[in-house]
Amino acid sequence: MLGTFWEIFQYKKISEAGYRAEKSEVMSHANLEGITHLRNQIDTLVLANQAMWEIVSEKHGLTEHHLLTKMNEIDLRDGKLDGKLVKTHLTTCPDCNRQISKQRANCYWCGAKVAISSPFAP
C-alpha cells in the first residue's frame, strides 16, 4: 500500500516537472521573440542616429571630435564616465503624491497620467 502512495506521489511530481518544463519552453520562445524585436529596434535606432549625425555633420561642419566631446560631457553629468546617461530622477505623482520615475507616462501606484517634461529626460 505504501508503494502505491509513493508511486502516486512520484507521478504527481513528474507531472508537475513536465508542466514547468513546458511552461519554461513557452516563456523561452517568447523571450527570444522579444529579444529579436529589441535587436531590430536597436538596429533601426543605430541607422537613424547615423543618418542624423551625417546630416548634421554635413550641414554644420561638425567632426567626430565634436560629437565625442559632447557625448563625454553628457556622460559626465552624473560624475562617472561610464557610457550611460544620468541615472533616472524621481518626480511626484500629481494625484497620489508618491515618488515615481520621470520616465514613466503613468504613475506606478495609481495609474494617473504624468506629464513628461522632455522625451530625452533621463
Side-chain angles (χ1 to χ4, degrees):
M1 175 116 167
L2 186 60
T4 303
F5 286 123
W6 180 251
E7 287 178 18
I8 292 171
F9 175 76
Q10 289 298 321
Y11 179 77
K12 181 180 178 217
K13 290 295 184 182
I14 291 169
S15 295
E16 289 172 356
Y19 171 75
R20 285 192 306 269
E22 288 175 16
K23 186 177 175 183
S24 294
E25 184 177 3
V26 169
M27 289 175 60
S28 175
H29 287 293
N31 289 338
L32 286 174
E33 288 176 9
I35 289 169
T36 300
H37 178 70
L38 288 173
R39 283 182 178 156
N40 290 338
Q41 285 182 314
I42 290 169
D43 288 343
T44 300
L45 288 171
V46 167
L47 182 61
N49 281 331
Q50 183 66 35
M52 285 189 281
W53 166 245
E54 289 184 17
I55 290 169
V56 168
S57 177
E58 290 167 5
K59 291 200 178 258
H60 299 287
L62 298 173
T63 65
E64 283 194 26
H65 175 73
H66 292 106
L67 177 65
L68 294 173
T69 300
K70 181 53 85 172
M71 287 173 65
N72 285 337
E73 175 190 321
I74 293 169
D75 188 10
L76 283 169
R77 288 179 185 168
D78 64 354
K80 292 182 273 182
L81 188 62
D82 58 3
K84 298 177 184 177
L85 286 175
V86 177
K87 298 289 183 201
T88 301
H89 294 288
L90 299 178
T91 189
T92 302
C93 172
D95 285 5
C96 71
N97 293 321
R98 291 190 181 204
Q99 294 291 308
I100 56 173
S101 166
K102 282 186 177 180
Q103 292 179 329
R104 296 193 60 87
N106 295 80
C107 176
Y108 176 80
W109 303 100
C110 70
K113 288 198 178 241
V114 179
I116 297 175
S117 58
S118 165
F120 300 108

